[in-house]
Amino acid sequence: MAVQEGAAPEAAAGTAGEDTTVHRLKPNAIGLLGVVFMAVATAAPITAMTGNVPFMVSSGNGIGAPASYLVAMVVLAIFAVGFTSMAKHITSTGAFYGFISFGLGRTVGLASGLLATFAYVVFEPALIGIFSTFATTTLHDQTGVDVPWWAFAILMLAINATGTWFGVSVAEKLLVVLLATEVTILAAMAISVALHGGGPDGFTFGPVNPVNAFQGTSAGLGLFFAFWSWVGFESTAMYGEESRDPKKIIPKATMISVLGVGVFYVFVSWMAITGNGEAAAVEAASSSNPLALFFNPTEQYVGHWAVIVMQWLMITGSLACGMAFHNCAARYLYALGREGVLPSLQRTIGRTHPEHGSPHIAGLVQTVVSAVLLGAFWAAGKDPYTGTYVLLAILGTMAILVVQAVCSFAVLAYFRKNHPESRHWFRTFTAPLVGGLAMLAVVVLLVSNMGVAAGPESGSIVLKSTPWIVALIAVGGVAYAQYLKRRRPEGYALLGRTVLEETKER
């Protein structure tokens, strides 16, 4: 089954086994830069830098943190080669769900789709946790006003729900502004350090020496945090149905996101360490205020005003990231819903707004789920940062890394059976093979280091249950797919098969 190219959001595109209209998202709503901004926003540059780099320097691979980003960028670029090769043939709002369904079959596709959906669903409340922490802390430090964190959580839930209701073009405009400001302030610090000839030790190249990515207190932890900083870049594929000329835009946007974010991460983290001086950088990152790793060079080379602005942009940056994840989760829920994984879902989360062409019901469901998760963690007495953010981020990251690995092998299988004209020894064989094995290695890094990554929550039941939760969802997906195959073969036949007609297999 395919969704007709250019059809109105409410137009019928065929039936999903029960004479039910299949809705599509609003076409031509977003261009290349919009897709790039949406994907980069999920990576949240200012949150990745200020939240991850100090921890990497103090407890990971020390001054080799920038080199970790260099290694991760190369690995993810290789993964993206295979990913984008498939994106030229399959355009699916379900992204991984659709890709894996075509490559490895509907059963593995549904299991992977449920895992990817679960990952994005839990990422939003995770980011709401860190957003609320940044907001309450900054407001208290700079104005003396105390506002409970849950008030900011409610605010972010409302903003995210509103953005998704009115369509991707509205979310895009807000994210462009938020993302541009956070990138600008980080770039100002990094460029200022570079223009001053480096820090107290001048320019040092140890931080970008790839060998140093594998040194330090815990190189595995540092490398994991580097990969963690990219989570969400693959979301480019899920905007294919809403983009202009997706066969060209999605591959370009994916590579721009991987390489652009990578170069930025390497440069900013390198200049932060250089601006402090290598020894002072480790000392700052290990202090009671690890953000000094960024605040010190910003104050010295840009000015105190920039430190104040950076603190506020940490709030807006986490807001942008959470909004992007909300959009991702809503689209995965919508993709599963419109194919009738459960028949009742077609009439609810599988519908689009008649005017805005947005997955409005799926967005509201995601808002409710996020609110319930936040309420549960609040009731359990978890801190919004060290509890909610860290635990849910690790849980979602494990799920999405497993799906990325499976997707690489799906690319291999897909091109072995289809499109001989597009087969290539590197793009459709070597790159996805290496990328898949590398993603599995990152999963191992996560499992072996998640206790340290969780910090004060290392003994949490949620953390200890993380691998089992991921495994349970995957097994549940396989079991339900087999149930559909036996009891509802017409529903099984549709799994992962709703794609734009122009990219439907011939």
Side-chain angles (χ1 to χ4, degrees), residues 122-299:
V122 300
F123 278 143
E124 182 185 0
L127 266 296
I128 290 176
I130 197 171
F131 164 80
S132 301
T133 300
F134 286 159
T136 53
T137 303
T138 300
L139 197 65
H140 173 77
D141 291 347
Q142 297 192 14
T143 69
V145 176
D146 288 312
V147 176
W149 72 266
W150 52 261
F152 289 107
I154 293 173
L155 174 64
M156 186 166 173
L157 283 169
I159 292 173
N160 290 349
T162 303
T164 300
W165 183 279
F166 288 103
V168 69
S169 58
V170 173
E172 174 202 356
K173 291 179 176 63
L174 182 56
L175 287 176
V176 165
V177 175
L178 297 178
L179 187 62
T181 52
E182 65 178 280
V183 167
T184 298
I185 197 67
L186 288 171
M189 179 277 294
I191 293 172
S192 295
V193 171
L195 292 178
H196 280 84
D201 304 325
F203 275 111
T204 55
F205 293 91
V208 288
N209 183 343
V211 173
N212 288 331
F214 305 93
Q215 307 292 326
T217 306
S218 177
L221 183 66
L223 286 165
F224 162 65
F225 269 90
F227 281 95
W228 189 358
S229 301
W230 260 277
V231 167
F233 80 90
E234 73 290 335
S235 63
T236 51
M238 67 182 66
Y239 296 106
E241 190 173 307
E242 299 162 273
S243 66
R244 308 175 193 113
D245 197 1
K247 280 187 176 180
K248 293 181 179 179
I249 280 183
I250 301 308
K252 286 181 181 178
T254 304
M255 292 306 297
I256 290 172
S257 299
V258 172
L259 298 177
V261 166
V263 170
F264 185 77
Y265 283 169
V266 171
F267 180 57
V268 170
S269 59
W270 179 22
M271 289 300 102
I273 292 172
T274 298
N276 282 279
E278 291 185 5
V282 175
E283 184 179 343
S286 306
S287 69
S288 59
N289 180 26
L291 289 175
L293 178 66
F294 286 89
F295 290 165
N296 289 346
T298 300
E299 177 137 11

Side-chain angles (χ1 to χ4, degrees), residues 415-493:
F415 283 101
R416 183 173 59 83
K417 298 179 292 185
N418 304 283
H419 300 291
E421 78 284 356
S422 299
R423 292 175 195 159
H424 186 271
W425 70 270
F426 181 72
R427 290 193 301 270
T428 63
F429 179 77
T430 305
L433 177 61
V434 173
L437 293 174
M439 289 297 104
L440 288 177
V442 179
V443 173
V444 173
L445 284 177
L446 170 54
V447 173
S448 59
N449 290 282
M450 65 182 189
V452 180
E457 292 291 343
S458 58
S460 168
I461 295 176
V462 174
L463 184 74
K464 293 178 179 179
S465 303
T466 290
W468 301 105
I469 293 172
V470 171
L472 182 63
I473 293 171
V475 171
V478 170
Y480 186 65
Q482 289 303 301
Y483 167 81
L484 289 177
K485 187 175 183 179
R486 290 175 173 79
R487 299 298 180 89
R488 284 181 53 222
E490 73 283 356
Y492 179 80

Side-chain angles (χ1 to χ4, degrees), residues 402-424:
V402 170
V403 175
Q404 285 181 359
V406 174
C407 185
S408 286
F409 299 122
V411 174
L412 277 173
Y414 177 76
F415 283 101
R416 183 173 59 83
K417 298 179 292 185
N418 304 283
H419 300 291
E421 78 284 356
S422 299
R423 292 175 195 159
H424 186 271

Side-chain angles (χ1 to χ4, degrees), residues 94-97 100 109-123 234 238 328-329 332-333 336 396 399-400 403-404 473:
F96 286 138
Y97 168 49
I100 294 171
L110 180 58
S112 300
L114 292 176
L115 272 179
T117 303
F118 173 77
Y120 287 114
V121 164
V122 300
F123 278 143
E234 73 290 335
M238 67 182 66
C328 293
Y332 263 109
L333 289 170
L336 291 169
I400 205 67
V403 175
Q404 285 181 359
I473 293 171

